[in-house]
Amino acid sequence: MHSIRPIASISLGWWTLYFALKLALYANDTLSFSPLYNFSLLCFIALPIRSRWVNITRQSIAIILALLLLHHDSYLPPIERLFSQWDLVSQFDGVYLLALAKDFISIDFLLLGFVLFVGYLYLNQILRLSTFVILGMAIASVPSSFWQMSITATPATVISEGQGGMTSGQETPSVAQEAIDTSSEGLTTYINQFFSQQANKTSMLGSINESAKQPNFDILFLSVCSLAWDDLEYSGNIDHPIFKEFDILFKQFNSATSYSGPAVLRILRAHCGQQSHADLFNNNLTQQCSLFDQLARIGFDKEVFMNHDGKFDGFNKHIANNIGNFSPAVDIEALSPSQYAFDGTKIYSDGEILSQWESLAHDKPTVSLYNTISIHDGNRVVGKSGSRLVTYKRQQRILLDDLYAFFQNLKESKRNVVVLLPEHGAAVRGDRMQISGMREIPTKAITSVPVGIKFFGDVSIDNRTQLEIDTPVSFLALSDLLSNIITSDIYQGKSTSLASLTQGLPTTPVISQNSGTTMLEVDEKQFYSFDDKSWTEYRPRNN
């Protein structure tokens, strides 16, 4: 009879490095640690098997399981989310995919692996490292509550959404505080109630009489891809002079999504309260929620132009489905590209396109949507090189400079209202749950965007000093603000104040969605869900 080797003599071999690496990342709070799954994998690897071919098969299976477990213990979104976006990912060109891969595997991670490898080669000759690794796994399996005193949780509170709290635009509205149950059941109830309430809200634009005096000014929406407050802080452009130009500046505007397709739909559907991601594609809601149709009803012509072809992810179709078929107001085909996008398509200079638009003659007041992807992740500048982040910083500065120059030229104009309205941020910082450039989970760092209103031309405003709005708002507040501007007759010689224009704008709790992902904020804590049923607190930094 063959005797079975004692368990104590079994070595994990090279698998020691795998578990040691996971323990090191767990100690740094870069990974979580699932005791049951990790020990199950360890037992599967350590189980004595004499057959060489069975052992080879076992090792092959173990490698696959180890990779899946590594992803499971990471803070990255579920792997099925990658496959659900595969049609879009497959359109990325090879250069961009390589850049993403380089960011995903950090230098620090490779150095840690190298140190562990060399350490294993030397220390394994004098110590049974498997024993120490198993001991470390056992310690990691002990609940953290065992090592520290329990902290009594205080009830979370959020600001109730309301209509009448914004009296001066500079003070936090005095509204009731409601306790929110942050269990999965409580947050699910909260999110359902939110969308139920929002479904009953519409902008004051709908109450403007069609027979009222026709507006004598244009409205231009500058829809900028990949620009959030967090990106501006990272790039050092948060004090760029363009932000001093705005008459009204929203400091807590929630774009409610982190992808361009849904972002443009939320702009075009701003006449209604915040809709769920699924409802954005409900054609029955298009007409009643269309911001541009409401503006057209009271005398504005609709117009669209952009600095790209608009084909990626059906961007043009999203616009056409909400405002009707359109031809770009500015022909970009005659221009030379200044960049190439992540999918290899051409991108044109914002300065050139805006200059051409400025020279257009409009017979009637016009509401225009200009979309730019000049600072989208993965763009490559013609004639220049640099990493993704270096390119982003450089192009962000160029974009802001172009907008600033455009503003200076518009000061000669007599009838323009310009709205800077970014789609979402670029996530250039990244965190332990999403690498730089990943926007699967629409965190506040991605959806909190700088929104500004600038009045040009012959406008009557009392005490014209920039007014900052520091309360949580979203698209409905912007739509109501446009209604206030139109009915105020400030371009008809009737004087008013910025505080009056922002009086009573609706606040909106911070809730954002992508397809299959929801993020909400409660008492300055963020929670996310991939099924709108089970919720997890989002902790982007190691704390």
Side-chain angles (χ1 to χ4, degrees):
M1 294 181 61
H2 296 287
S3 60
I4 299 178
R5 291 182 297 167
I7 296 297
S9 66
I10 297 176
S11 172
L12 296 178
W14 290 105
W15 284 102
T16 302
L17 284 176
Y18 169 80
F19 289 109
L21 178 61
K22 292 190 70 175
L23 287 174
L25 295 175
Y26 172 70
N28 191 43
D29 204 19
T30 302
L31 284 182
S32 63
F33 186 82
S34 304
L36 178 60
Y37 294 153
N38 279 279
F39 273 104
S40 295
L41 176 63
L42 185 147
C43 292
F44 178 67
I45 293 168
L47 190 68
I49 294 178
R50 302 232 178 242
S51 170
R52 178 171 176 267
W53 292 109
V54 173
N55 190 51
I56 291 175
T57 302
R58 188 259 302 274
Q59 293 293 329
S60 301
I61 295 173
I63 291 173
I64 297 173
L65 293 176
L67 293 174
L68 292 174
L69 182 55
L70 183 63
H71 179 272
H72 176 272
D73 281 346
S74 75
Y75 295 104
L76 296 173
I79 198 168
E80 57 265 23
R81 297 297 304 141
L82 173 62
F83 293 108
S84 69
Q85 302 289 328
W86 184 251
D87 287 343
L88 299 182
V89 175
S90 63
Q91 297 180 51
F92 296 169
D93 63 17
V95 175
Y96 182 47
L97 289 173
L98 180 60
L100 289 176
K102 287 168 61 179
D103 285 344
F104 185 78
I105 304 175
S106 69
I107 296 297
D108 288 349
F109 182 84
L110 293 176
L111 290 175
L112 176 60
F114 176 71
V115 170
L116 289 174
F117 171 74
V118 175
Y120 174 81
L121 290 178
Y122 283 91
L123 294 178
N124 198 50
Q125 300 179 48
I126 56 176
L127 297 172
R128 182 172 290 278
L129 294 182
S130 299
T131 302
F132 290 98
V133 167
I134 294 173
L135 179 61
M137 292 172 63
I139 294 173
S141 301
V142 178
S144 58
S145 58
F146 179 82
W147 306 105
Q148 59 185 11
M149 296 179 62
S150 300
I151 301 176
T152 304
T154 56
T157 58
V158 295
I159 297 177
S160 308
E161 53 184 320
Q163 291 279 347
M166 205 172 294
T167 55
S168 70
Q170 293 175 312
E171 299 175 358
T172 301
S174 177
V175 294
Q177 300 285 307
E178 296 179 3
I180 299 296
D181 177 9
T182 55
S183 68
S184 286
E185 294 79 8
L187 293 178
T188 298
T189 300
Y190 171 64
I191 198 81
N192 291 336
Q193 290 176 344
F194 169 80
F195 285 119
S196 177
Q197 293 169 357
Q198 290 292 309
N200 298 318
K201 295 179 180 293
T202 54
S203 161
M204 292 187 295
L205 278 172
S207 63
I208 298 178
N209 195 317
E210 294 181 33
S211 61
K213 186 184 296 184
Q214 188 179 58
N216 66 332
F217 59 90
D218 299 325
I219 300 173
L220 171 62
F221 288 97
L222 298 173
S223 173
V224 178
C225 180
S226 304
L227 185 69
W229 286 115
D230 190 68
D231 302 320
L232 288 166
E233 186 178 274
Y234 173 83
S235 299
N237 289 324
I238 200 164
D239 293 321
H240 191 281
I242 185 70
F243 298 109
K244 304 297 183 184
E245 291 285 321
F246 293 107
D247 293 296
I248 301 169
L249 185 62
F250 291 94
K251 302 301 290 288
Q252 292 193 57
F253 190 100
N254 181 35
S255 70
T257 187
S258 57
Y259 283 115
S260 296
V264 73
L265 290 177
R266 292 197 180 279
I267 295 172
L268 299 176
R269 298 280 192 88
H271 179 55
C272 289
Q274 185 169 323
Q275 299 166 38
S276 68
H277 179 86
D279 280 346
L280 291 176
F281 302 90
N282 181 348
N283 292 330
N284 295 327
L285 296 174
T286 299
Q287 187 169 6
Q288 70 186 70
C289 292
S290 173
L291 173 64
F292 274 49
D293 281 354
Q294 285 294 328
L295 293 171
R297 181 182 62 81
I298 55 181
F300 290 90
D301 281 346
K302 296 180 285 187
E303 181 180 76
V304 177
F305 61 116
M306 55 190 76
N307 74 336
H308 56 102
D309 63 19
K311 295 179 180 179
F312 185 80
D313 195 26
F315 192 77
N316 286 338
K317 293 180 181 178
H318 290 319
I319 297 176
N321 289 341
N322 281 267
I323 70 169
N325 292 327
F326 67 92
S327 296
V330 175
D331 181 16
I332 60 176
E333 294 299 326
L335 303 177
S336 298
S338 59
Q339 300 182 65
Y340 286 92
F342 53 88
D343 60 348
T345 55
K346 298 175 182 178
I347 302 174
Y348 302 90
S349 164
D350 296 294
E352 289 187 55
I353 295 173
L354 290 171
S355 178
Q356 289 200 20
W357 175 85
E358 187 185 352
S359 65
L360 296 177
H362 294 124
D363 296 329
K364 292 177 58 179
T366 306
V367 54
S368 306
L369 174 69
Y370 173 63
N371 181 260
T372 171
I373 61 170
S374 289
I375 54 175
H376 193 287
D377 188 50
N379 289 355
R380 297 187 298 281
V381 183
V382 174
K384 295 184 179 180
S385 61
S387 68
R388 289 172 50 245
L389 297 184
V390 168
T391 297
Y392 178 83
K393 285 185 177 182
R394 181 174 59 215
Q395 294 308 115
Q396 185 193 87
R397 182 75 191 195
I398 292 174
L399 171 64
L400 296 177
D401 287 347
D402 282 347
L403 294 181
Y404 184 76
F406 174 60
F407 276 27
Q408 306 316 304
N409 292 335
L410 277 183
K411 288 180 180 179
E412 302 299 322
S413 168
K414 295 298 182 183
R415 53 174 216 176
N416 287 299
V417 174
V418 176
V419 182
L420 174 66
L421 185 58
E423 296 177 349
H424 54 74
V428 288
R429 262 193 236 268
D431 56 48
R432 66 175 185 169
M433 300 187 74
Q434 298 188 113
I435 63 172
S436 174
M438 179 179 284
R439 293 173 277 116
E440 186 63 26
I441 302 176
T443 65
K444 195 173 179 180
I446 303 173
T447 64
S448 182
V449 296
V451 173
I453 315 295
K454 174 69 176 179
F455 300 102
F456 294 92
D458 191 9
V459 60
S460 300
I461 299 176
D462 297 332
N463 301 318
R464 194 171 176 179
T465 303
Q466 185 180 87
L467 181 64
E468 292 187 354
I469 307 294
D470 201 19
T471 51
V473 298
S474 198
F475 296 96
L476 189 61
L478 182 60
S479 189
D480 273 3
L481 176 56
L482 291 176
S483 176
N484 292 345
I485 294 169
I486 293 168
T487 57
S488 69
D489 290 334
I490 58 175
Y491 279 96
Q492 307 282 357
K494 185 178 179 180
S495 184
T496 189
S497 66
L498 296 175
S500 296
L501 293 176
T502 57
Q503 173 74 30
L505 297 183
T507 58
T508 303
V510 178
I511 292 176
S512 305
Q513 288 186 309
N514 292 325
S515 176
T517 311
T518 299
M519 169 69 75
L520 58 83
E521 183 182 54
V522 174
D523 200 23
E524 299 184 352
K525 294 181 179 180
Q526 297 184 76
F527 297 87
Y528 68 96
S529 175
F530 296 117
D531 58 9
D532 286 342
K533 294 179 182 178
S534 56
W535 296 84
T536 305
E537 183 179 350
Y538 191 91
R539 295 192 298 122
R541 311 291 180 219
N542 296 336
N543 53 33

